[in-house]
Amino acid sequence: MSWKPPMQERPPCDERIEACRDRGAHLQHADGRRAALYCRVTTGWTCTGGHMWWRRWSAPHYRLEGLWFEGDDLISDFVTDGQDLVATLDDFDRGVFVFVGEQWQVRWMDDDASRAFRERHDIEVYQL
């Protein structure tokens, strides 16, 4: 048993989550407000037991980290996993994103636009 999770382990490949990795999106609310979302994908584990220097860890799972921008300002962020992540991916498949109880239309940026957005806002890319 290790005191830290097995960092070399990864969850099984999931096309839906990979489509969000290091990707930006333009968002529009029905009332005309606009925002931007930047998504990063990380791997997480849950400590399932143990004490001090020995611990048991869950299987690795995906976590979606979102950065919410209005104009050029970072306004909020969030982390989702488990069933909430499944619901978020289902919403993305429908072209919407629900944030703080409000529904926004999603238009994903391509790779070049996502890279430019990341560079403009100095967003770090996580290395696997």
Side-chain angles (χ1 to χ4, degrees):
M1 309 282 166
S2 174
W3 67 274
K4 62 182 182 177
M7 304 300 263
Q8 71 281 4
E9 290 184 24
R10 298 281 173 244
C13 187
D14 180 332
E15 298 280 330
R16 291 185 348 144
I17 193 76
E18 289 303 322
C20 302
R21 186 181 299 275
D22 298 320
R23 190 121 179 247
H26 298 286
L27 304 174
Q28 183 161 348
H29 194 272
D31 66 8
R33 288 180 289 155
R34 295 179 184 269
L37 174 67
Y38 188 82
C39 295
R40 296 190 287 200
V41 177
T42 62
T43 301
W45 294 263
T46 303
C47 183
T48 60
H51 183 68
M52 295 178 70
W53 61 89
W54 64 272
R55 296 192 178 135
R56 288 184 306 276
W57 297 96
S58 70
H61 56 272
Y62 288 112
R63 296 170 17 146
L64 179 70
E65 297 181 2
L67 304 174
W68 183 272
F69 291 86
E70 292 180 11
D72 280 335
D73 297 323
L74 175 62
I75 302 299
S76 189
D77 62 353
F78 65 90
V79 176
T80 186
D81 61 6
Q83 290 304 323
D84 290 337
L85 174 57
V86 171
T88 298
L89 295 175
D90 289 345
D91 287 345
F92 285 166
D93 287 346
R94 295 184 302 115
V96 298
F97 177 61
V98 178
F99 187 68
V100 193
E102 295 185 302
Q103 183 170 301
W104 298 75
Q105 294 293 30
V106 176
R107 188 172 46 89
W108 289 101
M109 297 177 195
D110 64 20
D111 289 341
D112 292 336
S114 292
R115 185 173 17 271
F117 185 86
R118 181 173 55 245
E119 290 170 359
R120 185 172 69 245
H121 295 286
D122 197 28
I123 300 171
E124 180 182 351
V125 173
Y126 293 145
Q127 300 299 319
L128 296 178

